[in-house]
Amino acid sequence: MFKSIVKGSEASFPWKSFDSILETPSGDNPRQNAWLTLQLRVKLNFCDSKTPAPGRTVQIAGKWHARDLDGYLFPLLDWTPDLTTKFMRGFVKRAEDTWNFQFLLVTPSDYSELDYDSGWRAAMPLKVRPNVLCLLRVAVIGPGGLLDNTPGAGPLRGGPPHRTINVFNLDKSTGAVNLAPGVSPTAATPVRRTFSTFNDGSFRSDDSDYDDSDLFRPRVIDEANKVHHNTIGHEIGHALGQAHIRGLDGDATCALDSATGNDGRCYGADMEGWDIMGGGDRLYLVNAVSWKERIALHTSVPAVKWSASGVTATPPRSLPAAIANTSFAPTTW
Ligand SMILES: [Zn+2]
């Protein structure tokens, strides 16, 4: 038997910050694959003058500011209930649009634990070996608790958050920002930065601190090839244990826990850099790694035996049940 639910605490770094459930079809439809759903529970803290974030919100001369990853101070606006709701709904949609139903894992030819019987009333009943669809559900915990407590937010939506994120509503009329007092400038981070357009590249976010532009003002990375920046999708990738693309492609100095993992080169170059874990919004097969690593815990079949496909319509394999149940049935199929 496979294990149907795996908690993050049962996994090892970096694959331990989400739960998951593996489900097999009832048998009514012999073309139905199995489902591996990764479940993330994210708490969003909407920070402003009334809800400060220690170390991240600073009051200077009576005006509130948010400090970004590089140390720049951005003028901060107060959230309204309408805007927090819009952000939470948009956050779930962007996260799931990016990652849900993008991959299928091909079940190894000698693994039979997912097999199901189908068509028992038909002339030729079948033994079906389903592949595994890779799904993601994100449950958001906002100021009023769970945003959505219906099955739409995921089968494992109840429980403590896997991750808590501060979100800042910035003043988009800002054209220049300064480093916070005491932060030393570098070649890449001068004392003062200016920008003509305020977008998701203005405030430098990280996996625990976003600004509203990360959702509402994505910047274009490559006009001709229609590549956009996707901060929410990128940070959700980190929440699913993924390093920057160079790290996913095997460079240990870009691993998630490496001191140099956030270096510019780790975001990749050219097409590699268009990946969601680079600076773009594309998914390559390497991004199926979170599901491959997790299915190994559900099935005790090593991740390397599961190959990922982008063809989510790949049908299951099947054998006539009359053959599958005999001693001359094939052992790999
Ligand atoms: Zn990153």
Side-chain angles (χ1 to χ4, degrees), residues 203-214:
F203 178 93
R204 186 161 178 212
S205 301
D206 58 76
D207 61 0
S208 301
D209 300 274
Y210 300 171
D211 72 297
D212 57 316
S213 294
D214 288 333

Side-chain angles (χ1 to χ4, degrees), residues 153-232:
L156 306 172
R157 63 191 173 280
H162 297 106
R163 186 169 285 261
T164 299
I165 295 164
N166 296 322
V167 194
F168 305 105
N169 179 21
L170 302 178
D171 182 349
K172 271 71 70 182
S173 66
T174 301
V177 292
N178 295 317
L179 283 176
V183 177
S184 304
T186 67
T189 56
V191 173
R192 187 172 176 81
R193 260 191 69 206
T194 58
F195 21 79
S196 49
T197 310
F198 199 99
N199 59 28
D200 68 347
S202 304
F203 178 93
R204 186 161 178 212
S205 301
D206 58 76
D207 61 0
S208 301
D209 300 274
Y210 300 171
D211 72 297
D212 57 316
S213 294
D214 288 333
L215 182 60
F216 300 127
R217 296 184 174 211
R219 64 189 185 275
V220 175
I221 297 297
D222 187 311
E223 185 85 58
N225 292 290
K226 299 194 164 38
V227 183
H228 294 77
H229 194 64
N230 178 353
T231 310
I232 306 291

